[in-house]
Amino acid sequence: MDNGEAASFAEALQELKDRTPHSFETLATHIGISRSALHRYCTAKGVPSDFAVVERFGKRCRASREELIELHRLWTLAGAARAPAARRARATSAAAAERAEEAGTPRRARRAHLWLTGLTGAAVTATAVGIALSAVRAVRRRAGGRPRREAGVLSAGRSRPGTSRSAAPRPPGPALWAG
């Protein structure tokens, strides 16, 4: 970022800020950004990507129409100086990613590793479920099959607690009631 344009923009913001009794935190809250972001803008360490932030700041600091127009001009110049730096940063990060892929594990191999890890987890889960079902079936076979309830008595000849072998007859169903 060219320090001349950013410094001029930051100086204009700082002048507006100094005219108000508000702190960075109060102003930042009112314009919808963080205190640290506002401080970066006022110290030429950053430029907002959206002029609406600058406009809200100017209005909160009671800037005149002419001052808002000058802020826009300075913001545009500082942003134009910032654009080549942003392009260089993107190019640098793309080159770094390319070098990392050449030096380290390729993306396809990492994906395959994750896929195999997930597949292994699913296989272990399926095996555990199969073992549990086999155990349930073995217990049922030893008990003589699945117990059925019949009029208060289990099919294996055992009574349910609180009932006798001679269970009371059931009341007639709804079809017999209508008549």
Side-chain angles (χ1 to χ4, degrees):
M1 179 178 336
D2 185 357
N3 286 338
E5 283 83 6
S8 298
F9 176 68
E11 188 178 316
L13 290 178
Q14 189 64 48
E15 284 176 14
L16 286 174
K17 192 249 175 242
D18 290 342
R19 291 192 324 206
T20 68
H22 302 298
S23 65
F24 279 109
E25 190 163 350
T26 304
L27 284 170
T29 302
H30 285 291
I31 64 175
I33 61 173
S34 70
R35 178 189 55 79
S36 61
L38 182 57
H39 190 265
R40 278 194 311 270
Y41 303 153
C42 290
T43 57
K45 293 180 181 164
V47 177
S49 59
D50 187 11
F51 181 72
V53 171
V54 179
E55 185 177 25
R56 287 193 304 267
F57 175 81
K59 287 181 179 180
R60 189 69 188 173
C61 294
R62 299 178 186 245
S64 67
R65 187 167 190 270
E66 292 76 25
E67 288 172 321
L68 286 174
I69 291 170
E70 180 62 14
L71 271 180
H72 186 266
R73 186 184 73 76
L74 293 171
W75 173 78
T76 304
L77 291 172
R82 182 183 59 137
R87 278 195 295 273
R88 280 193 305 274
R90 280 194 303 271
T92 302
S93 65
E98 194 173 298
R99 283 192 307 275
E101 190 157 319
E102 289 172 2
T105 307
R107 180 181 285 173
R108 180 177 276 169
R110 286 191 305 260
R111 283 186 188 161
H113 174 72
L114 290 175
W115 187 80
L116 287 174
T117 303
L119 186 61
T120 304
V124 167
T125 303
T127 303
V129 168
I131 290 171
L133 289 175
S134 296
V136 168
R137 286 187 193 126
V139 169
R140 283 186 182 165
R141 270 189 242 122
R142 277 189 225 130
R146 181 182 229 171
R148 286 186 237 123
R149 296 179 186 182
E150 294 175 1
V153 180
L154 295 174
S155 64
R158 291 171 271 148
S159 296
R160 274 193 263 151
T163 63
S164 65
R165 282 192 166 259
S166 58
R170 289 180 150 177
L176 299 176
W177 293 342

